[in-house]
Amino acid sequence: MDSKSQNLFDVLVVGGGPAGMAAAVRASECGAQVGILDDNPTLGGQIWRGDSPDSALDEAAKWRSLLRSQNVSVLCGKRVFHQPAPGVLWAEGNEDLIELRYKNLIVATGARERYLPFPGWTLPNVMGAGGLQAMVKSGLPIAGKRVVVAGTGPLLLAVAAYLRKHGAVILLICEQAPFRAILRFGASLLKWPAKIAQGLNLRKEIASVPLAANSWPVAAKGRGAIESVVISRAGKLQTIECDYLACGFHLVPNIELPTLLGCEIRGGYVFTNEFQQTSVPGIFCAGEPTGIGGVELSLLEGQIAGLAAANSKSRAQALFRKRDKMRRFARTLDRTFALRPELKKLATPDTLVCRCEDISYGRLQQHSSWRSAKLHTRCGMGPCQGRICGPATQFLFRWTPDSVRPPIFPVRVDSLGATLSKESDQLVAGGLG
Ligand SMILES: Cc1cc2nc3c(=O)[nH]c(=O)nc-3n(C[C@H](O)[C@H](O)[C@H](O)COP(=O)(O)OP(=O)(O)OC[C@H]3O[C@@H](n4cnc5c(N)ncnc54)[C@H](O)[C@@H]3O)c2cc1C
């Protein structure tokens, strides 16, 4: 790593979704020297990646233009994987390794889908709901394809609407939550007028698509790729022929980086004070790692974190009321789309749970903790580093993942070499070499 690749920022933002973009804009408006970094080729995060739903376009355009109007250093295609020393992060790009130094850090690393194992879930064309949406955004042709959307959470509706707009035939949306929970959720939207508008738009876009509550996939079948899915629909089994199963069970926060940085985690989310400050001084967190609450909450938390990190606490305080109201929406989401116990019984002994290392449910049943399973089977030690099987085993066995160790993502051998040589330098400097 040469000195040219080193950067020092008053405020460094990791994650370029809505939360990160809002944080960078507000911190820069306060005069701070700001850098924002994301592992995708462009900013926008999950929702504003590629083209977005029409209703989101104005909001995305607004934040993109605000960011352009500020003197913010934008680093795309760079993924943070290590903190070699306090105030220093390392990120890997396609061909380079950069060192970033910060006075204040804002972690806005978003969330990912939760997948649950069931027979056939590893067949080609069984995909995450948001995953299939992302592939279509990247050019996968979906017109005329028969898609079943299944799992839980409002993302299913957004994905169904998006795929339908691009020509897919949505055969059914299966929502595992009970019908009465969905009705209660619909009624509760009156408290969040922006959500009512979003809900009505979605309803219009997928008005003719059947939605079944109390329903979930039991098995995906096919030779070479999915050909049909067996659904448990209000207690009865039904087989539906399809080309794709888009399946996700709500979202799990990306807390690996804040955990590595030593931030306190409570109830699975990064704990922050009212200014989005974590338990580590100088490190703030905004957006989905603090709770799954949708784009409005991410934007509000991002703004508060940006203002607080740039020392403009009174402007940050002015946003508390709106943020707290949206946090109540996040709690409603968690309650409505809580996973039902029947989903724990979908995997059979030979169903793969860790698909990177080919570890079956039956092999994991022989262990009593994540650590034991990891040590004896290599569960969670493949390329996804437990990002897929970790949340699944947490639900299936109530296992808590171990502490996080660098690198938090798989990296190239030369980046790993730099990590190791820095660590041995530190040992020598500390007299332990
Ligand atoms: C797959 C998926 C699809 C979704 N689609 C929709 C949709 O269609 N409609 C909708 O309303 N909501 C959607 N959501 C929910 C939506 O993402 C959230 O409501 C909200 O926008 C999250 O904003 P955020 O800024 O907190 O996080 P994100 O938008 O997730 O942004 C976080 C960013 O940080 C980056 N990142 C993470 N770790 C690192 C690292 N170590 N180094 C560098 N960069 C890093 C990520 O790649 C990502 O770009 C989707 C969520 C997911 C997971």
Side-chain angles (χ1 to χ4, degrees):
M1 203 179 324
D2 63 49
S3 56
K4 276 182 282 179
S5 63
Q6 299 194 358
N7 306 287
L8 171 65
F9 297 101
D10 296 328
V11 177
L12 176 64
V13 183
V14 179
M21 288 167 76
V25 166
R26 294 297 179 234
S28 177
E29 282 172 356
C30 300
Q33 201 200 333
V34 179
I36 181 168
L37 162 150
D38 194 280
D39 52 357
N40 288 290
T42 54
L43 297 182
Q46 301 291 359
I47 184 171
W48 296 338
R49 162 212 305 265
D51 62 347
S52 313
D54 293 342
S55 54
L57 281 178
D58 291 350
E59 196 66 16
K62 173 184 137 185
W63 286 101
R64 286 206 164 97
S65 132
L66 282 171
L67 199 60
R68 273 196 302 275
S69 71
Q70 296 296 320
N71 185 23
V72 171
S73 303
V74 177
L75 298 154
C76 283
K78 314 279 181 215
R79 177 178 269 178
V80 173
F81 67 92
H82 185 34
Q83 175 184 244
V88 184
L89 291 178
W90 283 2
E92 193 186 71
N94 273 345
E95 288 171 359
D96 54 348
L97 173 65
I98 56 170
E99 182 165 286
L100 301 145
R101 291 173 179 268
Y102 61 84
K103 294 180 187 157
N104 288 292
L105 178 71
I106 299 175
V107 179
T109 45
R112 58 183 181 271
E113 289 183 275
R114 183 196 280 114
Y115 304 113
L116 294 181
F118 53 86
W121 77 292
T122 53
L123 272 177
N125 295 353
V126 179
M127 296 190 178
L132 180 57
Q133 182 192 42
M135 289 190 69
V136 173
K137 284 183 180 181
S138 309
L140 177 79
I142 199 74
K145 301 291 184 197
R146 299 161 306 162
V147 184
V148 172
V149 180
T152 201
L155 182 57
L156 300 185
L157 305 186
V159 169
Y162 181 87
L163 297 178
R164 188 158 189 262
K165 198 168 152 199
H166 287 76
V169 182
I170 309 295
L171 300 175
L172 180 66
I173 303 171
C174 298
E175 167 58 65
Q176 60 92 43
F179 191 59
R180 61 173 185 286
I182 298 174
L183 279 183
R184 252 201 322 267
F185 177 67
S188 75
L189 290 185
L190 290 172
K191 292 182 224 154
W192 300 283
K195 295 287 173 195
I196 301 183
Q198 273 172 26
L200 289 177
N201 270 342
L202 272 179
R203 213 180 116 180
K204 207 165 68 195
E205 287 167 29
I206 51 173
S208 58
V209 176
L211 185 148
N214 283 309
S215 302
W216 54 87
V218 170
K221 297 185 174 177
R223 289 150 300 167
I226 187 172
E227 291 168 6
S228 64
V229 56
V230 183
I231 298 291
S232 166
R233 186 170 181 175
K236 294 202 175 113
L237 294 184
Q238 178 186 2
T239 300
I240 305 175
E241 291 184 2
C242 60
D243 302 307
Y244 285 95
L245 172 62
C247 188
F249 291 86
H250 206 29
L251 304 178
V252 282
N254 292 326
I255 56 170
E256 293 75 11
L257 179 60
T259 306
L260 180 78
L261 300 175
C263 304
E264 184 183 344
I265 308 295
R266 279 196 197 171
Y269 297 112
V270 177
F271 174 73
T272 66
N273 72 7
E274 54 191 351
F275 288 100
Q276 303 295 139
Q277 154 100 51
T278 69
S279 59
V280 179
I283 301 186
F284 296 75
C285 186
E288 310 270 61
T290 69
I292 308 296
V295 62
E296 293 87 358
L297 181 58
S298 287
L299 284 168
L300 286 161
E301 289 195 356
Q303 294 180 72
I304 292 170
L307 292 165
N311 246 328
S312 186
K313 293 203 162 171
S314 56
R315 274 185 73 193
Q317 263 164 333
L319 296 170
F320 283 1
R321 211 170 60 85
K322 277 191 187 162
R323 187 261 326 264
D324 295 346
K325 192 170 172 193
M326 289 316 299
R327 278 201 178 154
R328 288 195 283 280
F329 177 71
R331 287 195 287 274
T332 304
L333 279 181
D334 277 348
R335 261 197 317 275
T336 306
F337 300 106
L339 297 182
R340 57 199 303 148
E342 291 98 314
L343 299 174
K344 292 189 181 183
K345 298 188 187 126
L346 298 182
T348 57
D350 56 355
T351 305
L352 292 184
V353 176
C354 172
R355 55 194 299 169
C356 299
E357 296 288 330
D358 282 356
I359 313 300
S360 66
Y361 181 68
R363 285 185 66 195
L364 293 179
Q365 277 179 307
Q366 297 161 25
H367 298 277
S368 57
S369 68
W370 174 249
R371 171 165 284 260
S372 164
K374 209 169 161 181
L375 287 174
H376 291 95
T377 69
R378 289 192 51 80
C379 176
M381 292 171 80
C384 91
Q385 291 286 292
R387 282 180 173 76
I388 293 176
C389 59
T393 59
Q394 228 167 341
F395 173 64
L396 293 172
F397 304 113
R398 293 176 175 265
W399 290 348
T400 324
D402 283 341
S403 59
V404 173
R405 276 190 278 168
I408 56 168
F409 288 103
V411 289
R412 289 190 304 272
V413 173
D414 55 349
S415 305
L416 198 59
T419 312
L420 295 175
S421 71
K422 178 95 176 187
E423 269 165 16
S424 62
D425 286 353
Q426 280 166 351
L427 286 178
V428 172
L432 300 169

